[in-house]
Amino acid sequence: MLSKNKIKYIRSLELKKYRKEEQVFIAEGHKLVGDLLGHFPCRLLLGTDKWLNEHPLIEAEETIEVSREELSRASLLKTPQEVLALFEIPHYEWDPKIAERSLCLALDDVQDPGNLGTIIRIADWFGIHHIFCSNGCVDAFNPKTVQATMGALARVQLHYCDLPAFLQAQPKEVPVFGTFLDGENLYAQELSTNGIIIMGNEGNGISTQVAQSVNRRLLIPNYPQGQTTSESLNVAVATAIVCAEFRRRS
């Protein structure tokens, strides 16, 4: 039986304040929960009889069999999908020299949960394992972000930091790429298999303070060039285009 207090607790985790206090986040649905199980300790799992019978070896601190009606009362989704889980929020240490030997992403105040989740999924697709987020970025464990990652959180590490300080601490030989409207054509520039790619805020782009550390300014050109088009691309779409070009060259 799922108690009212348990439902209230689960739903409270929609707010960052309570996720931070409890150090847990919500995941819902067959694929997402399945992808995250085994990667993060599971504090609580709610599953229908059918789902639990199909997954008999689940490891969780607490497992509760629920009806669809009970699940719908706890769920943050319009259409619950037989399973909901609470996982511990991971905390990662990172090697200060990581950008000297691999390609990383840095996000400067990305605000939309869906955009962040999609960017995490894009990073996973292109084999980028570390994303450095400014402290002004949306919380990666926001339920909407988690859902948008489609399980990529299991393979991509998120690090929140003082982004300008992190970038300024990089050795001069580390390439730091940023996308700007006055940058150089992405498709005509020399790209590398290591370094940091910075993507900016949805409305304001890369901040002046962060831009000071950029030593490779890039532009995603529109086509046909010279024709009036949209002013800018969605940050997640732009991230996909840039990452695809980097990997195409590697």
Side-chain angles (χ1 to χ4, degrees):
M1 183 73 178
L2 187 61
S3 69
K4 290 182 179 179
N5 283 341
K6 191 79 74 175
I7 292 172
K8 184 178 179 181
Y9 171 69
I10 292 168
R11 295 189 66 87
S12 75
L13 297 172
E14 186 173 13
L15 299 179
K16 182 178 179 180
K17 171 186 175 181
Y18 296 111
R19 292 195 300 274
K20 187 174 181 180
E21 286 179 4
E22 298 296 324
Q23 287 298 296
V24 293
F25 68 95
I26 303 172
E28 298 192 58
H30 307 281
K31 183 182 188 312
L32 181 57
V33 172
D35 283 351
L36 299 183
L37 282 167
H39 291 275
F40 308 117
C42 183
R43 295 261 189 94
L44 172 67
L45 188 138
L46 310 182
T48 62
D49 175 64
K50 178 177 179 293
W51 194 91
L52 292 174
N53 285 332
E54 291 173 351
H55 303 81
L57 302 179
I58 295 303
E59 291 187 9
E61 287 184 19
E62 182 179 6
T63 301
I64 302 176
E65 182 181 318
V66 293
S67 66
R68 286 182 177 274
E69 183 181 350
E70 288 176 314
L71 187 62
S72 68
R73 290 202 295 269
S75 174
L76 302 180
L77 301 179
K78 289 182 179 179
T79 308
Q81 300 175 29
E82 294 194 300
V83 62
L84 179 154
L86 303 186
F87 292 100
E88 292 184 12
I89 293 175
H91 297 279
Y92 303 109
E93 298 292 331
W94 76 80
D95 182 344
K97 296 184 178 181
I98 189 66
E100 295 180 39
R101 60 175 185 272
S102 67
L103 196 61
C104 305
L105 280 175
L107 305 180
D108 186 10
D109 287 7
V110 169
Q111 295 293 296
D112 183 79
N115 280 339
L116 178 56
T118 302
I119 289 170
I120 294 169
R121 190 176 175 186
I122 289 164
D124 185 34
W125 182 263
F126 288 109
I128 296 173
H129 303 298
H130 296 271
I131 300 178
F132 293 89
C133 298
S134 67
N135 289 320
C137 279
V138 65
D139 180 18
F141 298 98
N142 179 302
K144 292 180 180 178
T145 302
V146 173
Q147 291 299 130
T149 69
M150 295 295 289
L153 274 173
R155 294 170 293 274
V156 178
Q157 296 185 13
L158 276 288
H159 312 285
Y160 283 79
C161 63
D162 180 336
L163 190 57
F166 168 75
L167 295 170
Q168 289 164 15
Q170 298 301 310
K172 290 183 178 180
E173 62 270 17
V174 171
V176 179
F177 300 90
T179 52
F180 299 88
L181 293 177
D182 62 351
E184 300 295 328
N185 190 324
L186 167 69
Y187 304 113
Q189 300 307 301
E190 182 178 345
L191 305 178
S192 62
T193 56
N194 73 300
I196 301 169
I197 302 170
I198 303 172
M199 305 304 296
N201 171 268
E202 289 89 343
N204 301 315
I206 295 173
S207 65
T208 302
Q209 192 175 11
V210 168
Q212 293 174 357
S213 296
V214 174
N215 50 38
R216 309 282 197 284
R217 296 172 70 92
L218 302 175
L219 165 72
I220 301 173
N222 62 327
Y223 287 94
Q225 292 184 30
Q227 180 172 304
T228 301
T229 61
S230 299
E231 290 185 359
S232 63
L233 288 170
N234 169 275
V235 64
V237 172
T239 302
I241 292 170
V242 172
C243 290
E245 184 62 13
F246 269 80
R247 290 314 195 198
R248 187 182 72 83
R249 306 274 196 95
S250 63

